[in-house]
Amino acid sequence: MKILSVVGARPQFVKLAPIAVAAEVAGVEHVVVHTGQHYDDNMSQSFFDALSIPAPDVNLGIGSGNHGEQTGIMLARLEPVLLAHRPDWVLAYGDTNSTLAAAVGAIKLHLPLAHLEAGLRSFNRRMPEEHNRVLTDHAADLCLAPTEVAIGHLVKEGLAERSVLVGDVMVDVLREVARIVRERPVESPIPPDASDYVVATIHRPDNTDDPVRLGAILASLGTLGRPVYLAAHPRLVACAARAGLTLDQGDVTVVPPLAYPQLVQALGRAGAVVTDSGGLQKEAFLMGVPATTVRPETEWPETLRDGWNALAGDPADIAKLAGRERPSTERNAPYGAGDAAVTTIQTLHERRLS
Ligand code: UD1
């Protein structure tokens, strides 16, 4: 069996890591195509290095652009690569523009398409990620869902026959990396003796692109009453500069985007997380750190149970929510047991079309 993975943005490199290992162990031929959507070292290469992911077989070198332009150029450059490899499965990950390009590229060539992290919904049609995930699920021959809730969405949309619950590969990679950094701590911009701080990230266009909203978010982060390490995505840096806003207000220290092991290590000693990232709110849940999500909704409603995650749709709520007590309840395991990548490769074998 030959699988061709298409990745391009930071969260996809994280998901690729356990899939690459499971594919290798199963003796599956695995071609990795990087679209080049993320290209800074600390947004891309550092993830390949830290997670020991084999170098991509192909890098399409796309870079930034408007949504249509970026996705369209990916599609054009992907087509000859797909034709040259003719894999048994094109595997698309998550919900970025690289995901959509992989989906459209595959189906136009009648190549079987599998979507990892299928069935997530925010029901917010303003989010580019929502378009990408809905379109990719409906194009896919196989929807690989991380949770029961995601399966429920796919069933409602008439995709039950094509859907399989495999669990969440983010559990696989988080567990492994948490074990490694416990044994061998990594260098990090967050001092090793710091504790009970807040890890913050903000990058979604809905939060960064409106100067008034961004200003309110940054002002709140400065008033949390404990150290805040703000790992600043390039979009955040650019939008703040354009709006004349200062990132390091009050107790905020700005640090560059963290490599994955640095992030996992940072969560180990954090008191709270404030984020608009899908991945980080779930990583916080898995590590037992209360998260405040700066969005009106979440694709990961399981994290909300017992207050492990709280939604701050209004930036005025961030300080109060981020200061809340850590819940004392046990967390259940809605994201699986850490074997999602192995199950994914098995499922791709079982459901192979050709
Ligand atoms: C993308 C995904 C989002 C994901 C996020 C993780 C889409 C629609 N969105 O958003 O779902 O949560 O990645 O980070 O695909 N930039 C750099 N260097 C880089 C990468 C980006 O400077 O290495 C700049 C770009 O020039 C652009 C901005 O950051 O101005 C946004 O990058 P882009 O990849 O378009 O989207 P993200 O906001 O990162």
Side-chain angles (χ1 to χ4, degrees), residues 79-225:
E79 192 164 60
V81 177
L82 296 178
L83 277 172
H85 285 282
R86 292 215 159 268
D88 297 298
W89 287 106
V90 174
L91 186 56
Y93 297 67
D95 56 17
T96 73
N97 290 340
S98 300
T99 315
L100 182 61
V104 178
I107 58 168
K108 289 290 177 196
L109 296 172
H110 308 293
L111 292 171
L113 171 69
H115 183 206
L116 187 71
E117 211 178 66
L120 297 190
R121 297 291 180 267
S122 66
F123 302 103
N124 178 350
R125 302 270 294 175
R126 280 182 52 81
M127 289 177 69
E129 293 81 5
E130 185 75 354
H131 317 151
N132 293 340
R133 52 173 91 98
V134 170
L135 292 168
T136 303
D137 282 343
H138 283 259
D141 301 285
L142 181 58
C143 292
L144 301 158
T147 62
E148 294 281 1
V149 172
I151 286 283
H153 295 145
L154 293 164
V155 169
K156 264 197 200 130
E157 294 175 25
L159 302 176
E161 289 291 306
R162 300 184 222 165
S163 301
V164 178
L165 176 63
V166 292
D168 190 338
V169 294
M170 299 276 288
V171 177
D172 308 18
V173 63
L174 180 68
R175 282 194 182 178
E176 175 64 6
V177 172
R179 186 184 65 72
I180 292 171
V181 295
R182 262 196 309 271
E183 283 171 13
R184 260 178 296 127
V186 288
E187 267 186 45
S188 166
I190 301 182
D193 54 347
S195 64
D196 198 33
Y197 47 79
V198 178
V199 175
T201 74
I202 295 292
H203 77 279
R204 297 230 170 253
D206 265 2
N207 284 332
T208 55
D209 294 6
D210 170 8
V212 175
R213 184 170 170 90
L214 180 58
I217 292 170
L218 293 174
S220 297
L221 288 178
T223 61
L224 300 188

Side-chain angles (χ1 to χ4, degrees), residues 10-11 37-40 43 64 96-97 129 203 233-235:
R10 205 166 45 165
Q37 177 172 352
H38 284 176
Y39 45 87
D40 285 355
M43 298 287 285
S64 308
T96 73
N97 290 340
E129 293 81 5
H203 77 279
H233 184 288
R235 176 193 286 282

